[in-house]
Every structure is written in structure tokens, then in C-alpha cells.
Amino acid sequence: MKDYRIKAVVRGLAIIAFAVCLLLSKTTAFQTFPMVKIGMCIILAIVLIESLFERSWLGVCFPLGIGACLFQSELGLGSVNYAIIILAFVLIGVGLTLIFGKKKYTKIYENAHDKFCDAGGSEYTEDTDRFDLDNNMGTKTQYVNIKNLREGNIDNALGQLTVYMNGTTIAPEGAKLDIDNGLGQLNIYFPKEFRVVFKTENGLGKINIHGEGSKDENQPIVYANVDNGLGSTDIYFE
């Protein structure tokens, strides 16, 4: 199983666990247990673990801050405002990022030529027929510029990810895109010349498709598998 599918399965199980905890919190049998807090902790634990693998210190500290708010009384922080708690953990994350440095970008595909735009953290990928974009937390805008695209993966967890496909061409035999959005906001801009066939799976969030692509049967097909959890996925044709 590919890494992005493993992530999707784990996130899906976490969402299911939270839903079960939410239901159990309304029953008489579990009134003595903080089931909603337990469910939230499961989701926060998944985010924290992913952030550790990604070496995103802000991603590590933010769920810890949310957890501190959930257990405010138990930690002796009952008189502290939620905003102060979150701000403190965000500042800790910023400090750790300055100390240990940001995550290093590595080539995902052998013989691929990747360029990174320092301003805004945007990624440009060239000289390869596939790409893999991942965003855990925060706001990121990325541009994909590929000739004869055959395969791509777009994975957004809690943050806001905007992807522009302008400048990309599709291989004559077509291409496959796996699009996964968890709890965040995902925006994807396709050229209106793209002929796209969507297969969507939506949890409690929203999938919005604005406009439509090409109807020319001579154009290669892009098969887009869209998996949206609790967040919002917006797809635009322009």
C-alpha cells in the first residue's frame, strides 16, 4: 500500500474513532468518561505523529496546545485564556523551528529535477512524469509544471493547500491523480483544457467543483480520485 493511502486509512480510522466516541458520550453507560476529549486526543495524536515524521515543529506543538486546552483544568491552567495557551505553544513551535531548522526537501522520484521557490515555499517540478505534494499544517501554495503527466498525488491534512496545474500537459495515454484532504482546505486549479473524470468520496466535509473541463474526446483523460474527510475541497477550471 502506498504511503498516501496508509495516511488516508489512518486518518479515516481516527475520524471513525472520534465519531464513535461522540456517540458514546451521549449514552448513559459512558457518562463518567470524557469520550469527546478521548476522541479529540486520537485525532490530535495522529496529527502529532505525522508532524514528527515530517519534522514540522509547529505541527507538533499546535495539537499539543489543543490538548492543553482540552485538559485545561487537569493541567492547572483553568484561569488561562485559550488564546494564550495556543499562542504559547505556537511560539514554542517557532522557537524549535529556529533551533533545529526546517524540514529539508528531498527528491521523491529518482532522476527528477525539482526547483523550490523560497518566497512562499512554492514547489516547481519539472523533467518528470509524476509528482507528489504534501501539506500537513500551515498555508502553502504550490505550482506544478510537468510535461506529459502520468501520475500525481496531492495530500493535505489540516492546513490550507493551493495547487496550480497551469503549465502542465497530460501524457497521450492519460493520467491519474489521487487527491486526499483531511480536515483542511484544499484548492486545486486545473486548466480548462483538461479533460477530467472525477471519482469522489466525501465524509462530513464538502467537495465543490467550479466550472468544467474539456469535452473534447480527442484529449487524454485525467482520472481524479478525490477523497475528502471533514475539510473542504474546491476544484476550479480556468
Side-chain angles (χ1 to χ4, degrees):
M1 184 179 293
K2 295 183 179 181
D3 289 344
Y4 64 85
R5 287 307 306 161
I6 294 175
K7 287 183 180 180
V9 169
V10 171
R11 292 170 185 168
L13 291 174
I15 292 173
I16 292 171
F18 175 75
V20 172
C21 290
L22 186 62
L23 290 174
L24 292 178
S25 68
K26 302 301 181 181
T27 64
T28 57
F30 292 90
Q31 287 184 347
T32 58
F33 297 94
M35 298 306 299
V36 175
K37 288 185 178 181
I38 292 173
M40 285 295 298
C41 286
I42 293 173
I43 293 179
L44 292 174
I46 297 301
V47 176
L48 191 148
I49 292 171
E50 288 187 4
S51 299
L52 284 173
F53 278 108
E54 294 290 329
R55 289 187 61 190
S56 171
W57 301 111
L58 279 174
V60 169
C61 291
F62 187 78
L64 289 177
I66 298 294
C69 291
L70 290 174
F71 296 93
Q72 194 174 12
S73 300
E74 291 83 349
L75 294 174
L77 300 173
S79 60
V80 183
N81 188 277
Y82 289 146
I84 298 298
I85 296 175
I86 296 297
L87 178 61
F89 276 91
V90 168
L91 291 176
I92 292 173
V94 172
L96 290 173
T97 300
L98 292 174
I99 293 172
F100 295 104
K102 298 181 180 179
K103 173 188 172 184
K104 294 182 179 180
Y105 288 100
T106 57
K107 291 183 184 297
I108 299 173
Y109 294 99
E110 190 175 355
N111 297 325
H113 176 62
D114 300 326
K115 295 181 181 179
F116 298 94
C117 177
D118 294 332
S122 300
E123 176 183 346
Y124 295 79
T125 307
E126 299 176 349
D127 300 334
T128 177
D129 60 2
R130 62 196 66 202
F131 70 91
D132 196 326
L133 303 181
D134 183 81
N135 181 48
N136 190 23
M137 298 188 67
T139 301
K140 184 182 294 185
T141 299
Q142 297 185 310
Y143 298 83
V144 180
N145 184 10
I146 295 179
K147 295 180 179 179
N148 295 324
L149 174 68
R150 288 183 173 84
E151 183 179 349
N153 173 49
I154 300 173
D155 190 352
N156 184 53
L158 289 176
Q160 178 174 332
L161 175 61
T162 301
V163 180
Y164 291 92
M165 301 292 295
N166 306 76
T168 295
T169 60
I170 307 302
E173 62 271 25
K176 176 185 177 183
L177 292 179
D178 287 302
I179 301 169
D180 184 16
N181 183 47
L183 304 177
Q185 171 67 45
L186 176 60
N187 304 305
I188 302 176
Y189 291 83
F190 288 118
K192 61 183 179 181
E193 294 79 15
F194 276 19
R195 182 184 174 199
V196 185
V197 174
F198 292 99
K199 179 181 178 182
T200 61
E201 294 183 15
N202 184 48
L204 300 177
K206 293 182 179 179
I207 299 176
N208 303 307
I209 299 177
H210 308 272
E212 59 182 13
S214 174
K215 300 296 184 181
D216 186 356
E217 295 184 357
N218 294 321
Q219 293 292 329
I221 300 177
V222 179
Y223 294 96
N225 299 316
V226 184
D227 188 355
N228 186 68
L230 295 178
S232 178
T233 298
D234 284 273
I235 297 172
Y236 301 86
F237 288 91
E238 60 175 18

